[in-house]
Amino acid sequence: MADWFYIGNYGQLGPLTKEQLDELIEGGVVVRDTYVWKSGMPQWVPAESVHELASAFRSIDPLMAPPPPPSPGMPVMPQPMMQSAPGYAVPPYQQGAYAMNPYGHAHLAQLKSDKSRITAGILNIIIPGSGRIYLGFSATGVLQLVLSICTGGVLWLWPLVDGIMMLTGAVKLDGYGRVLD
C-alpha cells in the first residue's frame, strides 16, 4: 500500500492511504491543482495528472459555482506566484504582497461599500443593533437589540459605544468585507 502525501494550506501532510486521499478529494480538500507525491514518484505533481487519482476526480461534481467576474471598474491586481517548494506555488495573499481584509479576501480589500458608517452609527445609537443589521452584521445587531430589551435598557451601553465607534471610523468594513466610506 503506497503512502501518499499532499501539500495543503499548512504544508506537507501525510502519509495517507489511497482511500484517505480519495475521501479528501471527495470532500474538496484535495483539488485538481493540489500537489501530491508518493514513493516512487520523481517529484511533486498536480493531483489531476496522477492516473491513479483520475477516477476520484471524475466521480465528484464541482462543490460550488465559481465567483462572478470582477466588475468593469474594479482594478485587476497582478497575481505573481512565488515558488516555495519544487512545483508548489504560494498564492499572493499568503506572500504578504497585497492588502487583505480581515476575512482573508485580497480581491475584496479594494471594494467600496454602498453603506454609510455615519448612517450606521446614528441608527445603532437610536435603535440598538439596527446599525449593525444595516451594515450586514445581522447576528450582532439582533443580539444587541435583544439584550437591550431584555435587560430593560441596561445593556444599551454596548450598542451606544458601538455606534460611537462607527461614527469615529473605528468600524472600517461592512458585513461583506467592503470598505466603509
Side-chain angles (χ1 to χ4, degrees):
M1 187 168 288
D3 290 327
W4 289 89
F5 295 85
Y6 76 98
I7 298 178
N9 289 335
Y10 302 107
Q12 177 181 315
L13 300 165
L16 302 166
T17 64
K18 169 74 167 70
E19 291 76 25
Q20 290 171 324
L21 194 59
D22 287 343
E23 288 178 14
L24 291 173
I25 291 171
E26 185 179 321
V29 175
V30 174
V31 293
R32 294 179 187 277
D33 61 348
T34 301
Y35 283 87
V36 297
W37 179 85
K38 74 172 185 171
S39 57
M41 295 174 69
Q43 64 183 1
W44 292 88
V45 294
E48 69 181 343
S49 67
V50 177
H51 180 69
E52 294 176 60
L53 302 177
S55 62
F57 284 113
R58 273 187 254 121
S59 67
I60 62 170
D61 293 326
L63 296 176
M64 56 188 256
S71 60
M74 190 169 102
V76 177
M77 296 190 305
Q79 299 281 324
M81 298 299 261
M82 178 175 83
Q83 299 293 327
S84 67
Y88 180 64
V90 177
Y93 61 84
Q94 292 179 351
Q95 297 174 17
Y98 297 100
M100 276 184 13
N101 65 23
Y103 303 104
H105 303 294
H107 67 283
L108 294 177
Q110 304 287 327
L111 293 178
K112 297 286 185 196
S113 176
D114 58 340
K115 309 294 183 190
S116 165
R117 66 178 176 84
I118 295 172
T119 304
I122 293 170
L123 278 171
N124 218 55
I125 291 171
I126 295 172
I127 304 169
S130 61
R132 281 291 176 175
I133 294 170
Y134 167 75
L135 289 179
F137 298 101
S138 300
T140 306
V142 169
L143 187 63
Q144 287 179 349
L145 180 63
V146 169
L147 289 177
S148 296
I149 292 171
C150 290
T151 60
V154 173
L155 288 182
W156 180 66
L157 185 61
W158 175 26
L160 175 68
V161 170
D162 198 27
I164 292 170
M165 289 176 58
M166 289 176 199
L167 290 171
T168 60
V171 178
K172 301 197 180 311
L173 303 173
D174 68 4
Y176 303 101
R178 300 174 298 187
V179 179
L180 291 170
D181 52 320

